Amino acid sequence: LAIAAGDPDDERGLARQICLACVAGLDIDGASLSLLTTTASRQTLWASDPVAELLEDLQFSLNEGACIQAASSGVPVLVPDLAEGVEVARWPVFAAALAERTEIRAVFALPLQWGATNLGVLDLYRRLPGELSRSQWRDALATAEIATLLMLGLHTDPRRNQVETLGNDHTDGQLHDGGAGASGWLDSLSGGRAEVHQATGMVLVQLGVTSTEALARLRAHAFAHQRLLIDVARDVVDRTLVFTKDDK
Amino acid sequence: VTKPAGREELLARAFVSLADTLVDDYDIIDLLDRLVGYSVELLAATAAGLMLADARGQLRLVASTTETADFLEVMQLQAEEGPCVDCFSTGTAVSAPDLTSASAAQRWPRFTAIISGRQTYASAHALPLRLRDQTLGSLNLFHPAPGALPAADLTLGQALADVATIGILQERAIRRGEVVNEQLQTALTNRTIIEQAKGVLAEHFQLDMDHAFELLRGYARPRQLRLAELARELVTRQLDPGELISPRQKPGGKPTK
């Protein structure tokens, strides 16, 4: 994935790849990925087709629907059959609009959730009702998780801020954990590396910033000192490394 | 509550408490946290940890009786090698009555090396969280002395693991298999928030992670707050960490506010 450089089109490129992978690999008809779903500044990064785009537009203009609920609750919302009364009752206006304007019968909304932070939602739809099989569901969840980590990686990429001073030294950055493209980045945030999350909590207090910003500062430190994120996190937890507001 | 009790009384109390939790709207991490606590008390273990598989089939620690770095490292390794991962992959209970034995060392060389270096645990037992043909994770018990758990204890441990499975399932899951995955995902996400909140408290009060978690739990329980919800409020700064401690009980560390 070419996600190393810092221009905003990268998010779209990433969203496109995630959506295309879902359409190709899962028993669905379309996919879309939207950012900042719980806030006013919403943005559909990519939609696989006009129907998927309409699905997003309807939810945003009505301010209700599976995707909105997934973003605000942080929990996947699965609607295998929109014609079922119980499901429709959750979002009557949205369900009515979908029935009137589209042939969508099933919607699966997966939040891109990192701790308390919602980064966006991956929406999948199908014209035929029915649940995803267990293996497809696992694939969908795994895709959403990877999308979350890659998106978080983009938002906290140390090279985004340091590109001017460091020049185009991308090959170097990919050798260690500070780089967004390095697989070490995925490893240190997935699979229960508790220390990274604990250190994030400590740094957010030390600097008075959000959890995402705290993670960005941890990564920037790892990048600048050519160290692994997990090692930097352990130093913070052991209190051998303290971030102060003057650090840059 | 601190009055010494026989095992039968303890058992009754544990299941009544767990059943009480299950009928209400509950936080799954909180339920699992109680459950590992009871499993240690009832089965005379030193430590217990409950691991669930994520969407990629990787095991992650969701609840444990001790949150020391030492124990977390043992569990982290268990995600790759040891009784826990064997229990998960086979869906059956796995006993390691003597972790210092040659057979254990042969079966799990890296895991037994770590364990023998620490000399904290001599035996381990892993019990599966089973749902029909699917294994969701495992309940892992560690004892200080070698020896196999008696059959009655294993049955009791399995019953506790089954309660965990039921807790994860919720009533809706009986209708729709997919809810299991929703719940699993929620448990894993909530664990991330709780780790971050532990960091917030550890930094604010200069505590270690173990005590930070105790503070979080000690505040949530009597107020019947969900652990994950309390953690979320701390991480997003809706709640000042200072609120968790009444003015007279502030610990030695200097609060920043």
Side-chain angles (χ1 to χ4, degrees), chain A residues 38 48 63 70 79 84 108 115-116 130 150-151 193 202 209 222 240 246:
Chain A
T38 50
S48 63
N63 203 25
V79 194
E84 198 185 294
F108 310 101
L150 290 175
M151 205 60 85
R193 289 309 191 109
M202 290 177 73
V209 296
T240 52
D246 308 324

Side-chain angles (χ1 to χ4, degrees), chain A:
Chain A
L1 288 175
I3 54 165
D7 62 275
D9 281 349
D10 290 343
E11 286 187 341
R12 290 187 191 284
L14 176 61
R16 179 176 169 274
Q17 280 178 316
I18 295 288
C19 291
L20 288 178
C22 287
V23 173
L26 301 172
D27 175 27
I28 54 159
D29 293 315
S32 58
L33 201 154
S34 294
L35 284 190
L36 296 168
T37 321
T38 50
T39 68
S41 57
R42 291 162 182 158
Q43 188 189 12
T44 299
L45 280 183
W46 209 77
S48 63
D49 61 70
V51 177
E53 199 169 351
L54 179 61
L55 174 66
E56 299 294 279
D57 289 347
L58 280 175
Q59 300 196 67
F60 288 162
S61 53
L62 298 171
N63 203 25
E64 68 170 34
C67 152
I68 308 272
Q69 185 180 323
S72 55
S73 66
V75 177
V77 176
L78 313 166
V79 194
D81 189 356
L82 276 159
E84 198 185 294
V86 184
E87 306 288 3
V88 175
R90 289 198 265 181
W91 326 281
V93 186
F94 168 67
L98 272 194
E100 190 186 312
R101 302 184 58 176
T102 74
E103 293 179 337
I104 296 176
R105 280 293 298 277
V107 174
F108 310 101
L110 309 171
L112 307 187
Q113 194 74 23
W114 179 66
T117 307
N118 179 268
L119 300 165
V121 174
L122 175 63
D123 267 351
L124 313 172
Y125 83 85
R126 201 194 307 108
R127 290 191 182 83
L128 291 174
E131 292 166 4
L132 289 174
S133 72
R134 188 185 296 166
S135 64
Q136 292 219 359
W137 172 244
R138 274 185 177 273
D139 287 348
L141 269 186
T143 307
E145 191 189 338
I146 288 167
T148 306
L149 296 179
L150 290 175
M151 205 60 85
L152 187 64
L154 278 179
H155 290 183
T156 61
D157 186 355
R159 275 164 301 175
R160 276 194 143 179
N161 309 318
Q162 298 184 18
V163 134
E164 308 87 55
T165 47
L166 293 175
N168 273 341
D169 205 4
H170 285 181
T171 36
D172 174 55
Q174 275 160 3
L175 292 177
H176 60 83
D177 216 6
S183 61
W185 156 249
L186 286 176
D187 290 345
S188 49
L189 266 176
S190 59
R193 289 309 191 109
E195 295 97 329
V196 175
H197 303 309
Q198 292 165 359
T200 301
M202 290 177 73
V203 171
L204 81 84
V205 172
Q206 288 166 5
L207 299 178
V209 296
T210 64
S211 54
T212 317
E213 174 65 18
L215 179 65
R217 297 295 287 270
L218 283 164
R219 291 191 69 199
H221 185 94
F223 180 78
H225 293 85
Q226 304 264 319
R227 299 184 63 209
L228 295 174
L229 179 60
I230 181 72
D231 292 337
V232 172
R234 283 187 180 130
D235 283 356
V236 171
V237 172
D238 294 344
R239 296 182 211 279
T240 52
L241 174 63
V242 177
F243 283 74
T244 64
K245 284 173 182 160
D246 308 324
D247 284 344
K248 252 297 164 201

Side-chain angles (χ1 to χ4, degrees), chain A residues 73-80 84 86-87 90 108 113-117 130-134 137-139 141-142 145-146 149 186 189-195 197-211 234 237 239 242, chain B residues 53-61 67 69 72-73 76 88 131-135 172 175-186 189 191-193 195-204 206-209 232 234-237 241 256:
Chain A
S73 66
V75 177
V77 176
L78 313 166
V79 194
E84 198 185 294
V86 184
E87 306 288 3
R90 289 198 265 181
F108 310 101
Q113 194 74 23
W114 179 66
T117 307
E131 292 166 4
L132 289 174
S133 72
R134 188 185 296 166
W137 172 244
R138 274 185 177 273
D139 287 348
L141 269 186
E145 191 189 338
I146 288 167
L149 296 179
L186 286 176
L189 266 176
S190 59
R193 289 309 191 109
E195 295 97 329
H197 303 309
Q198 292 165 359
T200 301
M202 290 177 73
V203 171
L204 81 84
V205 172
Q206 288 166 5
L207 299 178
V209 296
T210 64
S211 54
R234 283 187 180 130
V237 172
R239 296 182 211 279
V242 177
Chain B
D54 66 16
R56 286 182 283 171
Q58 194 175 5
L59 287 170
R60 298 208 216 161
L61 184 67
E67 308 263 330
L72 292 183
E73 204 178 331
Q76 176 71 37
F88 172 67
L131 171 68
R132 299 185 207 105
D133 57 335
Q134 194 182 357
T135 308
R172 285 174 64 202
R175 266 195 314 127
R176 289 214 328 242
E178 282 168 353
V179 181
V180 184
N181 294 302
E182 281 183 39
Q183 288 288 94
L184 272 176
Q185 199 63 18
T186 306
T189 295
R191 186 69 207 184
T192 300
I193 311 176
E195 293 299 343
Q196 289 178 352
K198 277 162 62 182
V200 167
L201 294 176
E203 180 61 24
H204 188 90
Q206 298 295 308
L207 301 168
D208 62 29
M209 292 301 161
R232 184 188 304 274
L234 286 168
V235 170
T236 57
R237 266 178 239 292
T256 56

